[in-house]
């Protein structure tokens, strides 16, 4: 492939990696990872509410990795209650999983920036044979993509398996009990998915530029060796 086309491919991959780093950084500080509604079961049972009456007992909840907000509603009007994970909720959430998600988000941002820098270096500079060359580009893209996948897996398990929304909704609630009514992942969660797909696409762009995958054996090496052996 001509050098001009390779330069264009590396520039495209570098811009995509940089955009992913910015998107992941924005996602970490966002409160739109999960949004949903919670039902005040205690209040609904007291008045035997059903059908349209349940709307008076449906509160709202949205949160991210650092903070969020819940609207407590038990038939007497809603009241907004902001909260933060650190240090308020550390005793009721799976802290190890939550901290791991934040750590992998940080790693995703760092390796996305590193990958963007090396893509640009390969486009406009004279790449080295290892970390600055194709092997390094595959490495940074693979690590960033893996971090994105781990973030989605860990956060999904935290929300669905450990019932994170219910734990947040019942935080410091001694009288009323809340149950998750609806729950869905919001923009920031899908941004991480897009970042993972972009880094996978970057690996394909490197291959499209004409570079073999790391540790791939040349097809002609065995043929040449065999021909040499037959000569003796």
């Amino acid at each position: 492939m001509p050098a001009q086309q390779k330069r264009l491919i590396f520039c495209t991959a570098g811009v995509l990696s940089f955009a992913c780093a910015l998107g992941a950084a924005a996602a970490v500080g966002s409160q739109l990872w999960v949004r949903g509604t919670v039902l005040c079961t205690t209040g609904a049972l007291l008045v035997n509410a059903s059908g349209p009456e349940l709307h008076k007992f449906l509160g709202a909840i949205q949160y991210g990795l650092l903070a969020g907000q819940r609207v407590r509603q038990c038939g007497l009007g809603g009241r907004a209650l902001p909260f933060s994970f650190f240090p308020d909720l550390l005793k009721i959430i799976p802290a190890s999983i939550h901290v791991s998600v934040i750590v992998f988000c940080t790693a995703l941002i760092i390796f996305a920036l590193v990958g963007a820098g090396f893509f640009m270096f390969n486009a406009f500079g004279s790449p080295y044979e290892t970390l600055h060359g194709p092997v390094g580009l595959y490495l940074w893209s693979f690590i960033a993509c893996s971090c994105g996948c781990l973030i989605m897996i860990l956060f999904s398990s935290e929300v669905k398996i450990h019932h994170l929304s219910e734990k947040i909704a019942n935080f410091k609630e001694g009288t009323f009990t809340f149950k998750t009514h609806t729950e869905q992942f919001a923009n920031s969660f899908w941004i991480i998915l897009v970042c993972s797909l972009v880094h996978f696409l970057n690996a394909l762009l490197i291959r499209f530029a004409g570079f073999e995958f790391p540790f791939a054996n040349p097809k002609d090496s065995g043929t040449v060796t065999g021909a040499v052996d037959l000569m003796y």
Side-chain angles (χ1 to χ4, degrees):
M1 180 177 290
Q4 193 72 18
Q5 294 184 19
K6 289 183 179 181
R7 179 172 296 180
L8 179 61
I9 290 175
F10 284 140
C11 287
T12 302
V15 171
L16 290 175
S17 293
F18 185 73
C20 285
L22 295 181
V28 171
S30 173
Q31 295 184 9
L32 286 177
W33 281 69
V34 174
R35 58 155 57 106
T37 57
V38 290
L39 174 64
C40 180
T41 56
T42 305
L45 289 174
L46 285 175
V47 300
N48 196 20
S50 62
E53 296 176 351
L54 284 177
H55 289 286
K56 297 180 180 180
F57 300 91
L58 286 178
I61 187 171
Q62 67 176 40
Y63 56 90
L65 298 180
L66 303 177
Q69 185 177 19
R70 60 190 174 119
V71 177
R72 181 180 180 273
Q73 183 163 313
C74 291
L76 301 174
R79 182 163 63 95
L81 300 171
F83 61 87
S84 59
F85 282 90
F86 304 97
D88 297 342
L89 300 175
L90 282 182
K91 293 182 179 180
I92 65 169
I93 66 172
S96 60
I97 298 178
H98 199 78
V99 172
S100 298
V101 172
I102 296 176
V103 169
F104 282 118
C105 282
T106 305
L108 172 61
I109 296 170
I110 292 174
F111 284 106
L113 290 174
V114 170
F118 282 128
F119 273 117
M120 291 301 179
F121 186 84
N122 277 270
F124 299 103
S126 299
Y128 297 149
E129 291 296 329
T130 54
L131 294 182
H132 289 265
V135 176
L137 297 180
Y138 283 122
L139 177 64
W140 312 132
S141 299
F142 174 76
I143 293 176
C145 182
S146 300
C147 289
C149 293
L150 287 173
I151 291 168
M152 291 186 294
I153 293 172
L154 291 175
F155 189 75
S156 298
S157 67
E158 184 180 9
V159 173
K160 299 298 183 180
I161 298 177
H162 294 274
H163 307 290
L164 184 61
S165 298
E166 284 190 9
K167 291 180 178 179
I168 294 173
N170 291 286
F171 176 60
K172 290 185 177 179
E173 290 289 345
T175 305
F176 297 97
T177 302
F178 290 87
K179 184 178 180 180
T180 303
H181 187 259
T182 62
E183 187 178 58
Q184 60 183 358
F185 293 108
N187 300 340
S188 296
F189 179 84
W190 302 118
I191 287 176
I192 300 298
L193 173 61
V194 171
C195 289
S196 302
L197 294 176
V198 166
H199 287 293
F200 180 75
L201 174 63
N202 282 348
L204 296 180
L205 287 177
I206 301 169
R207 180 65 186 89
F208 183 71
F211 295 112
E212 296 289 341
F213 286 109
F215 312 114
N217 294 323
K219 294 182 179 180
D220 297 336
S221 59
T223 305
V224 174
T225 305
V228 173
D229 292 338
L230 289 174
M231 294 178 62
Y232 292 94

